[in-house]
Amino acid sequence: MAEQKVSYRYAKALLDTAVQHNLTEQIFEDFKNIAKIFSILPELNSLARKPIIAPQKKKKLYQEIFSYRVSELAMSFILFLVDKSRDDLILDIIKQYENLYYKLKDYLPVEIFVAIDIGENSKNKIVEKIAKNMGKKIVPKFIINPRIKGGFIVKIEDWVYDASLRNKLDALYEQLLAGGIN
C-alpha cells in the first residue's frame, strides 16, 4: 500500500510536468513502450529490484535500452528513479500514470471478456453501448476467456456486469437445484 502511494506521487509529479510541457501523450506512449519492453525482457524487472547493482550500471543499461525509444523527459525520469533507488517501482508508476492520464482525458478503461475473438463490428457495438451508458470515452481491452462459454463480461474498475452464457447456465442450475423451475 505504501508503494502504491509512492508510485502515485511520482506519477502525479511526472504528469504535472508533462502537462506543463504539453507532453502527456508522448509520456503515455513512452510508458507503453517501456512496459512492453519490461514484459519482453523479464530480466529488467529483476535488475530493477536488485539494490546491490550499482546505480551507474543500471543507468547505463537503461540508457542503452530506452534512450532511442523514449522521449528525453521519460528517459530523465527513469534515471531519476534510479538515483532515488525507486526503479523497482517503474511498472507501478507506469500504471498510476496511465490511470491519471485517463482521468485527465476523461477516458474510462474497460475490460471486456469474451469467449472467442469477436469481429470488429461486435466489438464496436459493445464499446458504443458502454460509452453511451457511461457518458465517457471508452478505452476497451478485450480479453479472450473460453471459460465464459459465450456472451461477455464487462469490468469497469470494481464494477462487473456479467452477461456470459456461463453465468446464465450457473443461475439456471441453481434454480434447478432449488426446485424453482416447473
Side-chain angles (χ1 to χ4, degrees), residues 139-158:
V139 179
K141 179 179 180 182
F142 283 87
I143 302 165
I144 296 174
N145 181 350
R147 293 184 58 198
I148 66 172
K149 306 291 184 213
F152 59 92
I153 299 172
V154 176
K155 184 173 184 237
I156 303 171
E157 295 173 352
D158 294 335

Side-chain angles (χ1 to χ4, degrees), residues 32-87:
K32 282 188 353 186
N33 289 333
I34 291 168
K36 186 175 185 177
I37 292 169
F38 265 82
S39 72
I40 293 169
L41 300 171
E43 300 83 12
L44 275 180
N45 243 342
S46 179
L47 172 81
R49 298 191 187 288
K50 291 190 177 174
I52 198 163
I53 297 173
Q56 286 308 96
K57 286 185 178 183
K58 285 184 176 186
K59 285 173 139 183
K60 184 177 180 187
L61 184 63
Y62 287 139
Q63 284 176 316
E64 288 176 12
I65 295 171
F66 298 119
S67 65
Y68 298 106
R69 293 177 173 91
V70 300
S71 67
E72 188 178 320
L73 179 58
M75 190 71 242
S76 296
F77 183 73
I78 290 172
L79 299 178
F80 171 76
L81 291 175
V82 174
D83 286 337
K84 296 295 182 182
S85 299
R86 290 298 193 171
D87 54 315

Side-chain angles (χ1 to χ4, degrees), residues 99-116:
N99 292 338
L100 291 166
Y101 174 82
Y102 287 153
K103 281 183 184 173
L104 177 72
K105 298 293 183 181
D106 202 29
Y107 293 165
L108 183 63
V110 176
E111 290 180 328
I112 304 163
F113 299 86
V114 292
I116 59 171

